[in-house]
């Protein structure tokens, strides 16, 4: 269970650090008895980022979570 959210993130890699917009599924981590504020981002996809970024390995930081992403042939994977 979870919901799709549009989130601003920090994209890092290839000697660059830029803001980006990401769509991801925000899902609770744990049971209802635990803190309801704990969640994780899943199925992350970069929607907007500077077009001049080279292909390569990057990470996206969403809140305190760091997610690996890749850019190949100008497309985010």
């Amino acid at each position: 269970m979870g919901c799709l959210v549009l989130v601003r993130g920090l994209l890092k890699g290839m000697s660059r650090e830029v803001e980006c917009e990401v769509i991801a599924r925000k899902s609770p981590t744990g049971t209802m008895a635990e803190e309801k504020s704990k969640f994780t981002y899943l199925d992350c996809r970069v929607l907007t980022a500077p077009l001049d970024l080279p292909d390569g390995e990057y990470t996206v930081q969403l809140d305190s979570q760091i997610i690996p992403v890749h850019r190949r042939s100008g497309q985010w994977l």
Side-chain angles (χ1 to χ4, degrees), residues 11-26:
L11 187 61
K12 297 179 183 181
M14 306 298 293
S15 301
R16 302 278 303 266
E17 186 172 309
V18 296
E19 287 187 0
C20 64
E21 282 188 327
V22 172
I23 191 165
R25 187 164 40 101
K26 187 176 178 180

Side-chain angles (χ1 to χ4, degrees), residues 22-76:
V22 172
I23 191 165
R25 187 164 40 101
K26 187 176 178 180
S27 182
T29 59
T31 65
M32 296 294 266
E34 295 176 357
E35 289 183 49
K36 294 180 182 179
S37 63
K38 294 190 177 206
F39 59 87
T40 187
Y41 292 104
L42 305 169
D43 305 325
C44 172
R45 179 156 175 95
V46 176
L47 292 180
T48 62
L51 296 175
D52 66 338
L53 292 174
D55 289 348
E57 308 296 315
Y58 292 84
T59 60
V60 174
Q61 182 175 343
L62 303 174
D63 296 328
S64 62
Q65 187 175 348
I66 297 176
I67 303 164
V69 293
H70 312 280
R71 185 171 167 99
R72 298 281 184 263
S73 301
Q75 301 296 314
W76 291 102

